[in-house]
Amino acid sequence: MDLELDDDRRAIRDMARAFAQAELAPHAAEWDARSHFPVPILRKAAELGLAGIYVREASGGSGLGRLDAALVFEELAAGCTSTAAYLSIHNMVAWMIDRFAGAELAERFLPSLLRMERIASYCLTEPGSG
């Protein structure tokens, strides 16, 4: 298996790294100390396509794969772990709507999710726990 990144994946990784260093890392400790949820920064991430990483391009997303997402989230987590974790959850919700919702529901919610005008999350439990 070849684990070398191609030029496109290096560019994705480098974009996420630059965003994390400029927008997340300088504020992460303060955000955690104040329990602050950085909505304006999340909207900046959305401008880079980070609110719909694996949402299909036809639906307005970035159309990237899970490896690309892993590269992005690794870099974002180096800047602010909690913000990166939240973005991964938001991306999962957007992907589920893109993948499983009917056209009417997707058209109603995806555009605002991909701009982070709507903030998404979900609840998860497993039998026998949670």
Side-chain angles (χ1 to χ4, degrees), residues 64-119:
L64 300 174
R66 300 300 174 146
L67 175 57
D68 304 307
L71 294 169
V72 167
F73 294 132
E74 180 177 41
E75 294 300 332
L76 295 179
C80 180
T81 306
S82 57
T83 302
Y86 170 72
L87 276 168
S88 74
I89 292 166
H90 180 92
N91 270 273
M92 283 188 264
V93 173
W95 170 78
M96 285 186 277
I97 291 171
D98 180 43
R99 175 72 172 85
F100 299 108
E104 183 180 323
L105 192 63
E107 289 171 11
R108 180 176 168 202
F109 288 105
L110 274 179
S112 58
L113 287 170
L114 297 178
R115 292 187 301 269
M116 303 253 352
E117 292 169 359
R118 288 183 195 251
I119 305 295

Coordinates of all heavy atoms in Angstrom, one line a residue, residues 64-119:
L64 N -15.2 15.2 -1.0 CA -13.9 14.5 -0.7 C -14.2 13.2 0.0 O -15.4 12.9 0.4 CB -13.1 15.4 0.2 CG -12.7 16.8 -0.4 CD1 -11.9 17.6 0.6 CD2 -11.8 16.6 -1.7
G65 N -13.2 12.4 0.2 CA -13.3 11.1 0.8 C -13.0 11.1 2.3 O -12.5 12.1 2.8
R66 N -13.0 9.9 2.8 CA -12.8 9.8 4.3 C -11.3 10.0 4.6 O -10.9 10.5 5.6 CB -13.2 8.4 4.8 CG -14.7 8.2 4.6 CD -15.5 9.2 5.4 NE -17.0 9.1 5.1 CZ -17.9 9.3 6.0 NH1 -17.6 9.7 7.2 NH2 -19.2 9.1 5.6
L67 N -10.4 9.6 3.7 CA -9.0 9.9 3.9 C -8.7 11.4 3.9 O -8.0 11.9 4.8 CB -8.1 9.2 2.8 CG -6.6 9.6 2.9 CD1 -6.0 9.2 4.3 CD2 -5.8 8.9 1.8
D68 N -9.3 12.1 3.0 CA -9.2 13.6 3.0 C -9.7 14.2 4.3 O -9.1 15.0 4.9 CB -10.0 14.2 1.8 CG -9.6 13.6 0.5 OD1 -8.4 13.6 0.2 OD2 -10.5 13.1 -0.2
A69 N -10.9 13.7 4.8 CA -11.4 14.1 6.0 C -10.5 13.9 7.2 O -10.3 14.7 8.1 CB -12.8 13.5 6.3
A70 N -9.9 12.7 7.2 CA -8.9 12.3 8.3 C -7.8 13.3 8.3 O -7.3 13.7 9.4 CB -8.4 10.9 8.1
L71 N -7.3 13.6 7.1 CA -6.2 14.6 7.0 C -6.6 16.0 7.6 O -5.8 16.6 8.3 CB -5.7 14.8 5.6 CG -5.0 13.5 5.0 CD1 -4.9 13.7 3.4 CD2 -3.7 13.2 5.6
V72 N -7.8 16.4 7.2 CA -8.3 17.7 7.7 C -8.5 17.7 9.2 O -8.0 18.6 9.9 CB -9.6 18.0 7.0 CG1 -10.4 19.2 7.7 CG2 -9.4 18.3 5.5
F73 N -9.2 16.6 9.7 CA -9.4 16.6 11.2 C -8.2 16.5 12.0 O -8.1 17.1 13.1 CB -10.5 15.5 11.5 CG -11.8 15.8 10.9 CD1 -12.5 14.8 10.2 CD2 -12.4 17.1 11.0 CE1 -13.7 15.1 9.6 CE2 -13.7 17.3 10.4 CZ -14.3 16.3 9.8
E74 N -7.2 15.8 11.5 CA -5.9 15.7 12.2 C -5.3 17.0 12.3 O -4.8 17.4 13.4 CB -5.0 14.7 11.5 CG -3.7 14.5 12.2 CD -2.8 13.5 11.5 OE1 -2.7 13.5 10.3 OE2 -2.1 12.8 12.2
E75 N -5.3 17.8 11.3 CA -4.7 19.1 11.3 C -5.5 20.1 12.2 O -4.9 20.9 12.9 CB -4.5 19.7 9.9 CG -3.5 18.9 9.1 CD -2.1 18.9 9.6 OE1 -1.7 19.8 10.4 OE2 -1.4 17.9 9.3
L76 N -6.8 20.0 12.0 CA -7.6 20.9 12.9 C -7.5 20.6 14.3 O -7.4 21.5 15.2 CB -9.1 20.8 12.4 CG -9.5 21.3 11.0 CD1 -11.0 21.0 10.8 CD2 -9.1 22.7 10.8
A77 N -7.4 19.3 14.7 CA -7.2 18.9 16.1 C -5.9 19.4 16.7 O -5.9 19.7 17.9 CB -7.3 17.4 16.2
A78 N -4.9 19.6 15.9 CA -3.7 20.1 16.4 C -3.8 21.6 16.8 O -3.1 22.1 17.6 CB -2.6 20.0 15.3
G79 N -4.8 22.2 16.2 CA -5.1 23.6 16.6 C -6.1 23.7 17.7 O -5.9 24.5 18.6
C80 N -7.2 22.9 17.7 CA -8.2 22.9 18.8 C -8.9 21.6 18.7 O -9.8 21.5 17.8 CB -9.1 24.1 18.6 SG -10.4 24.2 20.0
T81 N -8.7 20.7 19.6 CA -9.3 19.4 19.5 C -10.8 19.5 19.6 O -11.5 18.8 18.9 CB -8.7 18.5 20.7 OG1 -7.3 18.5 20.6 CG2 -9.2 17.1 20.6
S82 N -11.3 20.3 20.5 CA -12.8 20.3 20.7 C -13.5 20.9 19.4 O -14.5 20.4 19.0 CB -13.2 21.0 21.9 OG -12.7 22.4 21.9
T83 N -12.9 21.9 18.8 CA -13.5 22.4 17.6 C -13.4 21.4 16.5 O -14.4 21.3 15.7 CB -12.8 23.8 17.2 OG1 -13.0 24.7 18.3 CG2 -13.5 24.4 16.0
A84 N -12.3 20.7 16.3 CA -12.2 19.7 15.3 C -13.2 18.6 15.5 O -13.8 18.1 14.6 CB -10.8 19.2 15.3
A85 N -13.4 18.2 16.8 CA -14.3 17.1 17.1 C -15.7 17.6 16.7 O -16.5 16.8 16.1 CB -14.3 16.8 18.6
Y86 N -16.1 18.8 17.0 CA -17.4 19.3 16.6 C -17.6 19.3 15.1 O -18.6 18.9 14.6 CB -17.7 20.7 17.2 CG -19.0 21.2 16.5 CD1 -20.2 20.6 16.8 CD2 -18.9 22.0 15.4 CE1 -21.3 20.9 16.1 CE2 -20.0 22.3 14.7 CZ -21.2 21.7 15.1 OH -22.4 22.0 14.3
L87 N -16.6 19.8 14.4 CA -16.7 19.8 12.9 C -16.9 18.5 12.3 O -17.6 18.3 11.3 CB -15.4 20.5 12.3 CG -15.5 22.0 12.3 CD1 -14.2 22.6 11.9 CD2 -16.6 22.5 11.3
S88 N -16.2 17.5 13.0 CA -16.4 16.1 12.5 C -17.9 15.7 12.6 O -18.5 15.0 11.8 CB -15.5 15.1 13.1 OG -15.9 14.8 14.5
I89 N -18.5 16.0 13.7 CA -19.9 15.7 14.0 C -20.8 16.4 13.0 O -21.7 15.8 12.4 CB -20.3 16.0 15.4 CG1 -19.6 15.0 16.4 CG2 -21.8 15.9 15.6 CD1 -19.6 15.5 17.8
H90 N -20.6 17.7 12.8 CA -21.4 18.5 11.9 C -21.3 17.9 10.5 O -22.3 17.8 9.7 CB -20.9 19.9 11.8 CG -21.6 20.8 10.9 ND1 -22.7 21.5 11.3 CD2 -21.4 21.1 9.6 CE1 -23.2 22.2 10.2 NE2 -22.4 21.9 9.2
N91 N -20.1 17.5 10.1 CA -19.9 16.8 8.8 C -20.7 15.5 8.6 O -21.2 15.2 7.6 CB -18.4 16.6 8.5 CG -17.7 17.8 7.8 OD1 -17.8 17.8 6.6 ND2 -17.2 18.7 8.6
M92 N -20.7 14.8 9.7 CA -21.5 13.5 9.7 C -22.9 13.8 9.4 O -23.6 13.1 8.7 CB -21.2 12.7 10.9 CG -19.9 12.0 11.0 SD -19.8 10.9 12.4 CE -18.9 11.9 13.6
V93 N -23.5 14.8 10.1 CA -24.9 15.1 9.9 C -25.1 15.6 8.5 O -26.1 15.1 7.9 CB -25.3 16.2 10.9 CG1 -26.7 16.7 10.6 CG2 -25.2 15.7 12.4
A94 N -24.3 16.5 8.0 CA -24.5 16.9 6.6 C -24.4 15.8 5.6 O -25.2 15.7 4.7 CB -23.5 18.0 6.3
W95 N -23.5 14.9 5.9 CA -23.3 13.7 5.0 C -24.6 12.8 5.0 O -25.1 12.4 4.0 CB -22.1 12.9 5.4 CG -22.1 11.6 4.6 CD1 -21.7 11.4 3.3 CD2 -22.4 10.3 5.2 NE1 -21.8 10.0 3.0 CE2 -22.3 9.4 4.1 CE3 -22.9 9.9 6.4 CZ2 -22.6 8.0 4.3 CZ3 -23.2 8.5 6.6 CH2 -23.0 7.6 5.5
M96 N -25.1 12.6 6.3 CA -26.3 11.7 6.4 C -27.5 12.4 5.6 O -28.2 11.6 5.0 CB -26.6 11.5 7.8 CG -25.7 10.5 8.5 SD -26.2 10.1 10.2 CE -25.5 11.4 11.1
I97 N -27.6 13.6 5.7 CA -28.7 14.3 5.0 C -28.5 14.2 3.5 O -29.4 13.9 2.8 CB -28.9 15.8 5.5 CG1 -29.4 15.8 6.9 CG2 -29.8 16.6 4.5 CD1 -29.3 17.2 7.5
D98 N -27.3 14.4 3.1 CA -27.0 14.3 1.6 C -27.2 12.9 1.2 O -27.7 12.6 0.1 CB -25.5 14.7 1.4 CG -25.1 14.6 0.0 OD1 -25.9 15.0 -0.9 OD2 -24.0 14.1 -0.3
R99 N -26.8 11.9 2.0 CA -26.9 10.5 1.5 C -28.3 9.9 1.7 O -28.7 9.1 0.8 CB -25.9 9.7 2.4 CG -25.9 8.2 2.2 CD -25.3 7.8 0.8 NE -25.1 6.4 0.7 CZ -26.0 5.5 0.3 NH1 -27.2 6.0 0.0 NH2 -25.8 4.2 0.2
F100 N -29.0 10.2 2.7 CA -30.2 9.5 3.0 C -31.5 10.3 2.9 O -32.6 9.7 2.8 CB -30.1 8.8 4.4 CG -29.0 7.9 4.5 CD1 -27.9 8.2 5.3 CD2 -29.1 6.6 3.9 CE1 -26.8 7.3 5.4 CE2 -28.0 5.7 4.0 CZ -26.9 6.0 4.7
A101 N -31.5 11.6 3.0 CA -32.7 12.4 3.0 C -33.2 12.5 1.5 O -32.5 12.4 0.6 CB -32.4 13.8 3.5
G102 N -34.5 12.7 1.5 CA -35.1 13.0 0.2 C -34.7 14.4 -0.3 O -34.1 15.2 0.4
A103 N -34.9 14.6 -1.6 CA -34.5 15.9 -2.2 C -35.1 17.1 -1.5 O -34.4 18.1 -1.3 CB -34.9 15.9 -3.7
E104 N -36.3 17.1 -1.1 CA -37.0 18.2 -0.5 C -36.3 18.6 0.9 O -36.0 19.7 1.1 CB -38.4 18.0 -0.2 CG -39.2 19.1 0.4 CD -40.7 18.8 0.6 OE1 -41.3 18.1 -0.3 OE2 -41.2 19.3 1.6
L105 N -36.0 17.5 1.7 CA -35.3 17.8 2.9 C -33.9 18.2 2.7 O -33.5 19.2 3.4 CB -35.4 16.5 3.8 CG -35.0 16.6 5.2 CD1 -36.0 17.5 6.0 CD2 -35.0 15.2 5.9
A106 N -33.2 17.6 1.8 CA -31.8 18.0 1.5 C -31.8 19.5 1.1 O -30.9 20.2 1.5 CB -31.2 17.1 0.5
E107 N -32.7 19.9 0.2 CA -32.7 21.2 -0.3 C -33.0 22.2 0.8 O -32.6 23.4 0.8 CB -33.7 21.4 -1.5 CG -33.2 20.7 -2.7 CD -34.3 20.6 -3.8 OE1 -35.3 21.3 -3.7 OE2 -34.0 19.9 -4.8
R108 N -33.8 21.8 1.7 CA -34.2 22.6 2.9 C -33.1 22.9 3.8 O -32.9 24.0 4.3 CB -35.4 22.0 3.6 CG -35.9 22.8 4.8 CD -37.1 22.2 5.4 NE -37.4 22.8 6.6 CZ -38.1 22.2 7.6 NH1 -38.7 21.0 7.4 NH2 -38.4 22.8 8.7
F109 N -32.2 21.8 4.1 CA -31.3 21.9 5.2 C -29.8 22.1 4.7 O -29.0 22.8 5.3 CB -31.4 20.8 6.1 CG -32.6 20.8 7.0 CD1 -33.7 20.0 6.8 CD2 -32.6 21.7 8.0 CE1 -34.8 20.1 7.5 CE2 -33.7 21.8 8.9 CZ -34.8 21.0 8.6
L110 N -29.4 21.4 3.6 CA -28.0 21.4 3.3 C -27.4 22.7 3.0 O -26.3 23.0 3.5 CB -27.7 20.4 2.1 CG -27.5 19.0 2.4 CD1 -27.3 18.1 1.2 CD2 -26.4 18.8 3.4
P111 N -28.0 23.6 2.2 CA -27.3 24.9 2.0 C -26.9 25.6 3.2 O -25.8 26.1 3.4 CB -28.3 25.7 1.1 CG -29.1 24.6 0.4 CD -29.2 23.5 1.5
S112 N -27.8 25.7 4.2 CA -27.5 26.4 5.4 C -26.5 25.7 6.3 O -25.7 26.3 7.0 CB -28.8 26.8 6.2 OG -29.5 25.6 6.5
L113 N -26.5 24.3 6.2 CA -25.5 23.5 7.0 C -24.2 23.7 6.4 O -23.2 23.8 7.1 CB -25.9 22.0 6.9 CG -27.1 21.6 7.8 CD1 -27.5 20.2 7.5 CD2 -26.7 21.8 9.3
L114 N -24.1 23.8 5.1 CA -22.8 23.9 4.4 C -22.2 25.3 4.6 O -21.0 25.5 4.5 CB -22.9 23.6 2.9 CG -23.3 22.1 2.6 CD1 -23.5 21.9 1.1 CD2 -22.4 21.1 3.3
R115 N -23.0 26.3 4.9 CA -22.5 27.6 5.3 C -22.4 27.8 6.8 O -22.0 28.9 7.3 CB -23.5 28.7 4.7 CG -23.5 28.8 3.2 CD -24.3 30.0 2.7 NE -25.7 29.9 3.2 CZ -26.7 29.3 2.5 NH1 -26.5 28.8 1.3 NH2 -27.9 29.4 3.0
M116 N -22.8 26.8 7.5 CA -22.8 26.8 9.0 C -23.7 27.9 9.5 O -23.5 28.4 10.6 CB -21.4 26.9 9.6 CG -20.5 25.8 9.2 SD -20.0 24.5 10.2 CE -20.5 24.7 11.8
E117 N -24.7 28.2 8.8 CA -25.8 29.1 9.3 C -26.7 28.3 10.3 O -27.3 28.8 11.2 CB -26.7 29.6 8.2 CG -25.9 30.6 7.3 CD -26.6 31.0 6.0 OE1 -27.7 30.4 5.8 OE2 -26.1 31.8 5.2
R118 N -26.8 27.0 10.0 CA -27.3 26.0 10.9 C -26.2 25.2 11.5 O -25.3 24.8 10.8 CB -28.3 25.1 10.2 CG -29.6 25.7 9.8 CD -30.5 24.7 9.2 NE -31.6 25.3 8.5 CZ -32.9 25.3 8.9 NH1 -33.2 24.7 10.0 NH2 -33.8 25.9 8.2
I119 N -26.3 24.9 12.8 CA -25.3 24.1 13.5 C -25.9 22.8 13.8 O -26.9 22.7 14.4 CB -24.8 24.8 14.7 CG1 -24.4 26.3 14.5 CG2 -23.8 24.0 15.5 CD1 -23.2 26.4 13.6

